């Protein structure tokens, strides 16, 4: 779904998102708080990444389109539930059931919300090997270093593991 009007223009928007396998899909009418980048240990572990990018969305502005029955959750801290796809593991939202908003994992959006992060937080937990603004080579797409041994190419994708 394309944006109807961007946040930059101060208007409402509609943007869609999904999990990695596409089983869980949702629509967001608008982001109700600025996008933030969190470096806390909990977010790093939950996302298997150096940081998490999120924004709060009022419950009335967040709508499951498909796959709500495929969601499972994990209570990562008292009262905080992280909801993720039971098939591919993509975390979509975190929530406190008594709050009027969900915390959307912005990386699961399929469209550009045309808003950018306003802050980094929990830099006291940031990992030294992935500091913001680190001057390292950057590539538009996959880049194979000459020194890196070529990995065997996968013959199948999109299947669940039995290991």
């Amino acid at each position: 779904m394309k944006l109807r009007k961007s946040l930059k223009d101060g208007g409402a928007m509609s943007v869609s998102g999904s999990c990695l396998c596409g089983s869980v899909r949702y629509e967001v009418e608008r982001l109700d708080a600025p996008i933030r980048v969190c470096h806390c240990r909990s977010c790093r572990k939950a996302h298997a990444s150096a940081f998490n990018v999120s924004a709060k969305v009022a419950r009335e502005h967040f709508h499951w389109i498909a796959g709500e029955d495929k969601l499972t959750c994990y209570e990562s801290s008292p009262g905080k539930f992280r909801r993720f796809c039971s098939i591919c593991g993509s975390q979509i939202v975190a929530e406190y059931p008594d709050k009027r908003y969900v915390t959307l994992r912005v990386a699961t959006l399929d469209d550009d919300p045309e808003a950018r992060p306003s802050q980094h937080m929990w830099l006291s937990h940031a990992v030294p090997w992935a500091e913001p603004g680190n001057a390292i080579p950057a590539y538009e797409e996959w880049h194979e270093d000459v020194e890196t041994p070529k990995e065997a190419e996968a013959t199948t994708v999109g299947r669940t593991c039995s290991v």
Side-chain angles (χ1 to χ4, degrees):
M1 176 175 286
K2 291 294 181 189
L3 296 171
R4 288 192 283 247
K5 192 171 182 183
S6 77
L7 286 178
K8 277 197 254 181
D9 299 331
M13 68 171 202
S14 180
V15 65
S16 61
S18 60
C19 65
L20 176 62
C21 70
S23 296
V24 178
R25 292 182 292 123
Y26 64 88
E27 182 177 88
V28 172
E29 293 175 28
R30 70 176 191 227
L31 302 180
D32 292 298
I35 297 173
R36 302 187 309 176
V37 179
C38 182
H39 297 263
C40 80
R41 183 179 190 280
S42 180
C43 280
R44 288 190 292 110
K45 296 292 185 177
H47 297 278
S49 182
F51 53 84
N52 164 51
V53 182
S54 64
K56 291 180 181 174
V57 177
R59 290 182 187 276
E60 62 267 20
H61 299 146
F62 183 91
H63 310 284
W64 296 111
I65 302 300
E68 190 172 2
D69 61 324
K70 302 285 190 272
L71 290 170
T72 190
C73 71
Y74 175 71
E75 187 174 7
S76 59
S77 53
K80 181 178 184 176
F81 296 90
R82 294 173 184 266
R83 302 210 180 272
F84 55 94
C85 175
S86 62
I87 298 169
C88 67
S90 294
Q91 189 184 144
I92 307 294
V93 297
E95 67 175 327
Y96 290 90
D98 60 332
K99 302 285 185 189
R100 64 176 221 45
Y101 61 84
V102 296
T103 303
L104 175 68
R105 303 322 186 186
V106 175
T108 64
L109 288 172
D110 296 329
D111 303 313
D112 182 356
E114 296 188 13
R116 300 297 177 255
S118 65
Q119 64 180 261
H120 286 265
M121 58 188 186
W122 283 102
L123 285 176
S124 61
H125 289 199
V127 293
W129 46 263
E131 294 176 2
N134 195 355
I136 58 175
Y139 306 94
E140 290 293 322
E141 296 186 14
W142 176 253
H143 175 76
E144 187 72 43
D145 287 334
V146 178
E147 295 86 29
T148 304
K150 184 125 179 128
E151 296 178 9
E153 292 190 27
T155 56
T156 60
V157 294
R159 295 189 309 170
T160 55
C161 303
S162 59
V163 179

